């Protein structure tokens, strides 16, 4: 079996999805997702100029050797651009492998450990009242877990995943008005003062069963995060996400020594080396890598297995940046993983998106049910794809009130 061609498509309804399609001499094709939020053209160029010419003629069944070829062969390895490009190739090869085996992909990992996999939605509001409405909205739809983000009084603009159209599953991160980023202003003191009170009110209103998640979006220093986590303990959060910037793995050690709050981290990680210490030393509870940015199914599955030895569960990234292809790759891992925790689910579930990526995967009662179709179980309609093209957009940036750049 040989790879005969591969193509990269950029675009989608309200989103620059980067889709890789690998064709073979046996008529089967595989699909992968290389969407790197707000830097989408870069993995696409990496694929087109450097990877695809090297794939032609290779046996697609040797997915391990192809992954090693891409990773070790690049010399300058790791980083989100390269790993997103490798990730797309790897997903497409697993898609092909499972199609060849005539099985849904999860069967190749060891079958299903569960039926529906727990998912969480993003409830948000520019103030608490709006956020409470947004939580009710998702609860009415059957969600058992929600991430809650709300505006902070007297903070000029507090976007760390806050939007004012609380219930719409649109891509609120990318600003398509141009390439120059919107500036948002942040103040940790106001946030630390207000958020515990808001989270307590949410727990009070919705009772003990709702799984409440909160994303700090890398905004606090280690000491602030430790103090903040301590005050949140009575609220019994499902997790506190990205309390500090992920580069400083020691920060999590400090937090752990002061609080028993469950910590989730890893959406910006690109390899097992980024989370090795955090997992080995049991400094986190959930690992948030994605099949795209971590370089595909092959390395992600290794991270999941390693995490399992240390009581760390999965909580894969699933922001709107991921196309239904990587969501499917993660759904197959979620169906199998013995140490599955939860899946973030924000694929734009619009008619246009379903037409571009047809599939039988379904979301019901706050859980994701993986399709039993062969392969990843998601297709890509090239005719639909021809309606879209790349649209430049930007990701907001964050500054403190005095102008100092801060972490988004
Ligand atoms: C999340 C995230 C995202 C990021 C986005 C950046 O937890 O889902 O923090 O929404 O902001 O992926 O591009
Ligand atoms: Mg996050």
């Amino acid at each position: 079996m040989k790879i005969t061609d591969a193509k990269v498509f950029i675009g989608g309804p309200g989103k620059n999805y980067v889709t890789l399609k690998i064709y073979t001499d046996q008529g089967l094709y595989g699909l992968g997702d290389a969407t790197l939020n707000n830097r989408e053209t870069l993995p696409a160029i990496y694929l087109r100029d450097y990877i695809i010419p090297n794939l032609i003629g290779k046996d697609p069944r040797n997915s391990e050797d192809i992954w090693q070829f891409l990773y070790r062969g690049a010399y300058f390895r790791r980083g989100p651009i390269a790993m997103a490009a490798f990730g797309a190739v790897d997903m497409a090869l697993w898609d092909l492998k499972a199609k060849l085996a005539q099985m849904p992909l999860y069967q190749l990992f060891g079958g299903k450990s569960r039926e529906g996999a727990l998912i969480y939605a993003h409830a948000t509001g520019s103030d608490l009242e709006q956020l409470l409405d947004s939580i009710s909205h998702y609860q009415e739809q059957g969600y058992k877990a929600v991430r809650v983000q709300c505006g902070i009084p007297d903070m000029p603009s507090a976007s760390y995943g806050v939007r004012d159209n609380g219930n719409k599953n649109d891509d609120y991160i990318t600003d398509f008005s141009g390439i120059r980023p919107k500036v948002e202003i942040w103040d940790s003191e106001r946030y630390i003062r207000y958020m515990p009170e808001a989270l307590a009110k949410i727990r009070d209103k919705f009772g003990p069963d709702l799984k409440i998640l909160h994303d700090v979006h890398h905004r606090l220093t280690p000491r602030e995060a430790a103090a903040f986590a301590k005050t949140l303990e009575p609220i019994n959060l499902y997790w506190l996400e990205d309390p500090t910037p992920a580069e400083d793995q020691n920060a999590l050690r400090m937090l752990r020594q002061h609080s028993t709050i469950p910590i989730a981290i890893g959406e910006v990680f690109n390899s097992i080396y980024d989370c090795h210490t955090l997992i080995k030393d049991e400094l986190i509870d959930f690992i948030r890598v994605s099949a795209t940015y971590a370089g595909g199914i092959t390395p992600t599955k290794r991270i999941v297995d390693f995490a399992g030895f240390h009581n760390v569960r999965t909580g894969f990234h699933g922001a709107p940046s991921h196309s239904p292809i990587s969501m499917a790759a993660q759904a197959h891992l979620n169906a199998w993983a013995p140490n599955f925790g939860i899946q973030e689910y924000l694929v734009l579930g619009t008619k246009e998106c379903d037409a571009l990526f047809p599939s039988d995967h379904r979301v019901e009662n706050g859980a994701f049910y993986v399709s039993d179709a062969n392969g990843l179980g998601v297709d890509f309609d090239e005719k639909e794809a021809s309606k879209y093209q790349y649209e430049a957009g930007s990701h907001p940036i964050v500054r403190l009130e005095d102008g100092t750049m801060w972490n988004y």
Side-chain angles (χ1 to χ4, degrees), residues 147 215 217 241-242 267 288:
R147 187 190 83 162
D215 191 348
H217 239 286
E241 178 180 340
D242 288 338
E267 65 181 49
R288 296 253 313 126

Side-chain angles (χ1 to χ4, degrees), residues 37-38 120 122 147 161 172-173 215 217-218 241-242 267 288 293 317-322 344 346 395 408:
N37 213 17
N38 302 306
Y120 71 89
H122 284 194
R147 187 190 83 162
Y172 56 92
I173 300 159
D215 191 348
H217 239 286
H218 326 269
E241 178 180 340
D242 288 338
E267 65 181 49
R288 296 253 313 126
Y293 309 150
H317 191 224
S321 25
H322 299 290
E344 180 180 32
L346 257 110
H395 196 285
Y408 182 82

Side-chain angles (χ1 to χ4, degrees), residues 220-233 240 243-244 251-259 261:
L220 300 180
T221 66
R223 194 212 57 78
E224 284 169 346
F228 183 62
K230 261 190 351 195
T231 61
L232 298 185
E233 273 176 18
L240 186 71
T244 55
L252 278 300
R253 207 177 296 282
M254 157 98 154
L255 213 162
R256 210 47 155 185
Q257 281 159 1
H258 291 277
S259 166
I261 199 165

